[in-house]
Amino acid sequence: MTSKAYKIGFFVLLVVNITLVMLFTFRPKPRMQGSNIMEVVSDKLGFSEDQKAMFAEMARDHRDQMVALNKQEHELTREYFSHLKLSNQEGPNQDFLARIKVIQEEKLTVTYTHFEEVKTVCREDQIANFDQLMDDMMRVLTGENNRPG
């Protein structure tokens, strides 16, 4: 091959690489999952703008509560399993398990209360949609959507 063919090949590959770098650098950012789920729920329930505003505030409160509880749970779980690294092989304090169970109960209660509040926002004609939404949410909450088969 001639040096001219090498030059053309070099510039073609250079343009392809620059294009790929630009595509990866300047592509649109993915939407946050939290805002997307709020839109999906609002759309499924057919919320008006007023209902959407009330729901958005409820969802923010629920998210804040869940973030705090998840943080506590993660810290306790990390401490619980950190006992495996200790040389004295003393088992973890059973108090950790009891505290983790309490947090799990709080998470379920907070979520149940959240859905009760959302239901109160629904008009009578939206209740059937709410019931269908709850079926969908149960699959998410129980992890059925993530299970193979």
Side-chain angles (χ1 to χ4, degrees):
M1 279 220 263
T2 67
S3 65
K4 184 176 182 180
Y6 284 121
K7 287 180 184 179
I8 292 172
F10 170 78
F11 285 112
V12 168
L13 289 174
L14 181 66
V15 169
V16 169
N17 283 329
I18 290 172
T19 304
L20 286 173
V21 167
M22 290 179 63
L23 283 174
F24 285 115
T25 304
F26 300 112
R27 70 175 179 220
K29 304 292 183 230
R31 298 180 64 177
M32 288 185 53
Q33 184 181 5
S35 63
N36 188 32
I37 190 75
M38 286 178 24
E39 289 177 26
V40 169
V41 169
S42 294
D43 291 343
K44 279 190 175 188
L45 295 176
F47 276 168
S48 67
E49 290 304 315
D50 290 340
Q51 288 173 312
K52 285 180 183 180
M54 289 189 293
F55 173 65
E57 187 173 331
M58 290 176 188
R60 275 190 297 275
D61 291 344
H62 178 254
R63 184 192 62 231
D64 292 346
Q65 289 175 318
M66 293 301 287
V67 165
L69 290 169
N70 282 333
K71 183 179 178 189
Q72 291 175 19
E73 182 182 21
H74 291 180
E75 289 170 1
L76 286 171
T77 302
R78 191 174 304 277
E79 286 182 55
Y80 179 78
F81 282 98
S82 71
H83 288 279
L84 292 171
K85 296 180 189 177
L86 299 176
S87 60
N88 64 8
Q89 294 298 317
E90 183 178 313
N93 185 335
Q94 291 301 309
D95 183 51
F96 284 115
L97 284 179
R99 290 166 49 195
I100 291 170
K101 287 177 187 177
V102 167
I103 291 172
Q104 283 289 325
E105 183 179 342
E106 286 180 49
K107 286 169 60 175
L108 289 171
T109 302
V110 164
T111 301
Y112 187 89
T113 303
H114 170 67
F115 285 121
E116 277 184 325
E117 291 172 352
V118 171
K119 189 173 183 178
T120 64
V121 173
C122 294
R123 296 184 314 261
E124 193 64 37
D125 61 316
Q126 295 169 325
I127 295 298
N129 294 342
F130 178 83
D131 293 343
Q132 179 60 47
L133 174 70
M134 286 309 302
D135 291 340
D136 295 342
M137 293 308 295
M138 284 303 101
R139 284 191 286 281
V140 172
L141 292 173
T142 59
E144 291 177 29
N145 282 357
N146 300 331
R147 294 185 186 146

